[in-house]
Amino acid sequence: MAAAKRGLSPRPGVLDIAPYVPGTSALPGAHPVIKLSSNETPFGPSPRAIEAFLASATSLSRYPDGSARPLREAIAKLYGLDPARIVCGAGSDELLNLIAGAYLGSGDEAIYSRHGFLVYKIVILGRGATPVVAPETDLTANVDAILACVSDRTRVVFIANPNNPTGTYLAFDEVKRLHAGLPDNVLLVLDAAYAEYVRKNDYEAGIELVATTHNTVMTRTFSKIYGLAFLRLGWAYCPTEVADALNRIRGPFNVSGPSIAAGIAALADQAWVQHAVEHNETWCARMTEALSAIGIGVTPSAANFLLLHFPKRNGKSAQAADTFLHQRRIILRRVEEYGLPDALRMTIGSEEENRAVLEALTAFMGANGTPS
Ligand SMILES: Cc1ncc(COP(=O)(O)O)c(C=O)c1O
């Protein structure tokens, strides 16, 4: 008998959730693939992080520090923050979920923008609250449109900055204007998963607003530039009251010991991070130029991925490109569920991977062009 018939059913909203579908990670057959579907770094983690992770294998029978204190202290030292206001989680996904758990319930509304990160909708519905979607301008969050969505029931606004899957970002002045326009009782969540990659003078990840307001939280991850996606590790910088709320509802040992150890070691290797940033800057620009030259539209990106827009004409659709790339063992990210059926998202890979994508897409588009 179905569970619902026996009187057991999840809270309203839960069954409205379309489960998150991660980027494809494998193709049939034994040959290796080029996987550029999940915005992971081509360089992997710092060797120091791997060493720390391996060393932690000798203590697997012990519980870790329940508040990930050594990691919070390492983050605080690197960024000049108060460790008491940092909360760590099993990926920033867990922190987004905890924020929803602490601030959203039935009857509440939470806002995100049209092509915002899909997890927001999931965590909002998961708490029985109502998602409100603000229109964007040129695939970029529009502060006025977000503010126009605010109602008496609004409790949280989620902004990915830069945003996944578009790669677009909001300048700090715009983020400040957004915050200034929000009522006092609305929490602004700045999801800065790609902050380390951004090289824009007018960008600020969120530390300043968290430091100076009572209702802004910034979330960060070790999954992207730090290369630790497999471990699941993220952190949030919060006003004291928000950190207190999240700490009350999180699992008592929500971050594992090996993650804490690897995270601390990864932070200590900023030369590794710098190298990844420089590589990304170079290849983001080269790929944008080279792909544009073969007739693929590229949204200017501040992150480590590009949104590629296919012309649709003459069979040059995103779906056909995806199939063509799979035949060459290359996996990019389909983004239909973001409302972008004519686009694919490509993570910036190693030089070799990027060149392979360009060669394949050049063949697909029937044009010439190679990056210098
Ligand atoms: C904007 C954004 N936020 C959060 C996450 C979640 O990252 P994690 O849970 O691995 O820390 C991602 C991952 O793709 C992302 O793109």
Side-chain angles (χ1 to χ4, degrees):
M1 200 196 290
K5 286 205 184 122
R6 294 196 302 253
L8 179 68
S9 55
R11 280 191 294 122
V14 171
L15 296 183
D16 297 333
I17 297 173
Y20 184 83
V21 182
T24 306
S25 57
L27 293 173
H31 293 297
V33 293
I34 293 178
K35 178 183 180 295
L36 300 173
S37 56
S38 301
N39 299 343
E40 298 144 337
T41 172
F43 301 113
S46 157
R48 292 200 218 173
I50 297 173
E51 207 177 300
F53 172 81
L54 293 174
S56 73
T58 54
S59 328
L60 295 184
S61 62
R62 300 282 175 207
Y63 278 98
D65 184 291
S67 75
R69 187 169 150 194
L71 175 60
R72 288 188 295 110
E73 285 173 349
I75 295 167
K77 193 165 166 223
L78 181 65
Y79 292 101
L81 307 178
D82 175 0
R85 294 170 59 180
I86 296 170
V87 180
C88 295
S92 48
D93 281 345
E94 187 193 17
L95 294 157
L96 297 169
N97 221 322
L98 289 172
I99 291 165
Y103 291 94
L104 291 176
S106 166
D108 296 335
E109 292 176 355
I111 303 171
Y112 56 89
S113 69
R114 172 73 184 92
H115 301 103
F117 184 44
L118 269 180
V119 165
Y120 308 147
K121 184 176 181 183
I122 294 174
V123 302
I124 296 164
L125 286 171
R127 305 296 167 162
T130 304
V132 177
V133 182
E136 296 181 348
T137 306
D138 297 332
L139 297 174
T140 308
N142 177 321
V143 167
D144 296 306
I146 294 169
L147 291 175
C149 289
V150 173
S151 79
D152 289 350
R153 306 203 299 165
T154 308
R155 291 291 165 269
V156 180
V157 175
F158 291 99
I159 295 286
N161 199 25
N163 182 54
N164 171 17
T166 56
T168 55
Y169 78 104
L170 277 186
F172 189 38
D173 280 352
E174 282 295 276
V175 177
K176 278 192 283 195
R177 195 164 73 78
L178 172 61
H179 176 268
L182 291 175
D184 244 18
N185 63 345
V186 173
L187 184 64
L188 175 61
V189 179
L190 298 174
D191 172 351
Y194 301 95
E196 292 84 358
Y197 286 106
V198 184
R199 285 293 169 272
K200 305 279 180 193
N201 290 335
D202 57 358
Y203 175 80
E204 208 278 325
I207 289 174
E208 198 177 319
L209 262 193
V210 179
T212 54
T213 71
H214 71 285
N215 60 340
T216 311
V217 171
M218 173 190 68
T219 58
R220 303 284 285 259
T221 184
F222 282 87
S223 300
K224 306 301 176 186
I225 208 156
Y226 286 105
L228 296 175
F230 197 49
L231 279 186
R232 313 305 301 123
L233 189 58
W235 57 282
Y237 190 49
C238 315
T240 308
E241 301 73 25
V242 176
D244 178 50
L246 302 187
N247 279 325
R248 285 170 196 264
I249 62 168
R250 69 175 172 78
F253 302 97
N254 62 329
V255 178
S256 73
S259 302
I260 294 172
I264 294 169
L267 289 173
D269 194 350
Q270 286 300 311
W272 191 262
V273 173
Q274 193 50 37
H275 172 62
V277 170
E278 282 160 19
H279 172 87
N280 191 63
E281 213 176 2
T282 303
W283 279 97
C284 226
R286 281 188 192 171
M287 292 302 287
T288 300
E289 196 184 320
L291 290 166
S292 306
I294 58 169
I296 295 172
V298 184
T299 302
S301 174
N304 69 331
F305 54 87
L306 299 172
L307 191 62
L308 315 185
H309 303 270
F310 289 82
K312 280 196 285 187
R313 294 180 308 276
N314 309 324
K316 308 293 183 203
S317 67
Q319 194 181 341
D322 196 40
T323 306
F324 187 92
L325 290 168
H326 284 190
Q327 283 158 3
R328 295 179 177 228
R329 316 279 309 156
I330 296 171
I331 309 174
L332 306 190
R333 177 73 146 103
R334 297 286 287 273
V335 281
E336 280 110 337
E337 72 263 59
Y338 281 97
L340 296 163
D342 303 324
L344 294 177
R345 192 193 67 200
M346 173 199 170
T347 307
I348 298 296
S350 65
E351 172 167 354
E352 194 188 354
E353 291 170 329
N354 297 333
R355 288 189 187 278
V357 172
L358 192 58
E359 199 184 307
L361 286 177
T362 302
F364 174 74
M365 296 296 288
N368 294 316
T370 25
S372 50

